[in-house]
Amino acid sequence: GAVVSQHPSWVICKSGTSVKIECRSLDFQATTMFWYRQFPKQSLMLMATSNEGSKATYEQGVEKDKFLINHASLTLSTLTVTSAHPEDSSFYICSASGGGGVGNSPLHFGNGTRLTVT
Amino acid sequence: DAKTTQPPSMDCAEGRAANLPCNHSTISGNEYVYWYRQIHSQGPQYIIHGLKNNETNEMASLIITEDRKSSTLILPHATLRDTAVYYCIITGTASKLTFGTGTRLQVTL
């Protein structure tokens, strides 16, 4: 089945630094990738949708200058949390689609990255 | 995308069938019913999806009512490893997945 790999699985960084999270589709080409954030005991909240070769589309309330998304190839998307603060500590999860949105094609998710900002 | 209503929590004895309901009364004709689950501190795992007909795979069965306003996910023989939050999501062809609060299934000995 389709595999999505996310790296790192956990990271601790100091306040004010930037952190990059990678999301790779290992056995298919992902024309669209989605980035989610999940706070403790809450559901997943969509942050942004990234399409290969074009700018990401951010959900309302998500700062595009703080959460930089790059989707430069059909197998890799990155999320960079810039100038991280303790309130950015969360579980970040990516998912990937082979094309055409969701519909009859299941999205597959990475295993998430737990970010802790001290 | 249509909204869904799921019970916040359910218990199931190991070895018994777990039946997880989902109401989606505002679903439209071209929207699919998807089920995902999330085991603690992991990414969501795809389980099954359907449009109109009932579906079965190696993990579960999906029963969709004739009017498509509700569905039930069935785990035929629940094990402790099935303890997770189960999400019922309705989505169309060009949409992203919007997660609700899901049902926390606790499988017990």
Side-chain angles (χ1 to χ4, degrees):
Chain A
V3 177
V4 176
S5 174
Q6 201 170 328
H7 179 80
S9 55
W10 60 271
V11 58
I12 301 172
C13 72
K14 292 188 176 181
S15 188
T17 61
S18 295
V19 174
K20 181 184 285 187
I21 302 169
E22 292 187 348
C23 180
R24 294 181 185 272
S25 56
L26 298 186
D27 53 359
F28 67 101
Q29 293 187 325
T31 53
T32 305
M33 287 187 173
F34 303 89
W35 287 95
Y36 291 82
R37 178 168 54 181
Q38 185 175 33
F39 292 108
K41 298 190 177 182
Q42 294 185 23
S43 189
L44 285 78
M45 295 297 296
L46 181 66
M47 299 175 67
T49 302
S50 79
N51 293 296
E52 186 266 337
S54 61
K55 289 185 178 180
T57 303
Y58 291 81
E59 296 298 304
Q60 191 172 9
V62 178
E63 300 174 57
K64 62 179 182 180
D65 294 329
K66 181 170 183 61
F67 299 100
L68 301 179
I69 292 172
N70 184 284
H71 191 163
S73 79
L74 286 172
T75 58
L76 173 65
S77 175
T78 61
L79 168 67
T80 301
V81 183
T82 63
S83 187
H85 290 283
E87 56 265 32
D88 298 323
S89 298
S90 188
F91 192 50
Y92 292 86
I93 308 165
C94 72
S95 67
S97 167
V102 183
N104 200 23
S105 301
L107 282 185
H108 296 277
F109 288 78
N111 256 339
T113 296
R114 182 151 317 274
L115 169 63
T116 302
V117 184
T118 60
Chain B
D1 294 336
K3 288 190 175 180
T4 61
T5 303
Q6 297 179 253
S9 64
M10 293 182 64
D11 291 332
C12 178
E14 189 176 34
R16 305 298 290 266
N19 297 294
L20 292 90
C22 179
N23 286 325
H24 34 80
S25 59
T26 61
I27 191 171
S28 40
N30 62 348
E31 290 182 315
Y32 289 80
V33 181
Y34 271 82
W35 283 84
Y36 282 80
R37 72 180 181 184
Q38 186 179 25
I39 295 170
H40 183 62
S41 293
Q42 296 183 22
Q45 177 188 22
Y46 166 76
I47 302 173
I48 199 167
H49 76 284
L51 183 62
K52 296 180 182 178
N53 300 321
N54 299 335
E55 302 287 345
T56 296
N57 62 20
E58 65 278 4
M59 289 183 68
S61 294
L62 173 61
I63 309 298
I64 303 174
T65 58
E66 194 168 340
D67 63 7
R68 302 185 71 235
K69 293 185 177 182
S70 66
S71 59
T72 301
L73 177 74
I74 301 173
L75 307 179
H77 305 286
T79 71
L80 296 177
R81 287 179 293 180
D82 293 321
T83 292
V85 178
Y86 287 76
Y87 296 98
C88 167
I89 302 171
I90 307 302
T91 190
T93 55
S95 303
K96 50 229 175 182
L97 293 181
T98 300
F99 286 77
T101 53
T103 295
R104 184 172 298 277
L105 175 68
Q106 179 69 53
V107 181
T108 57
L109 289 171

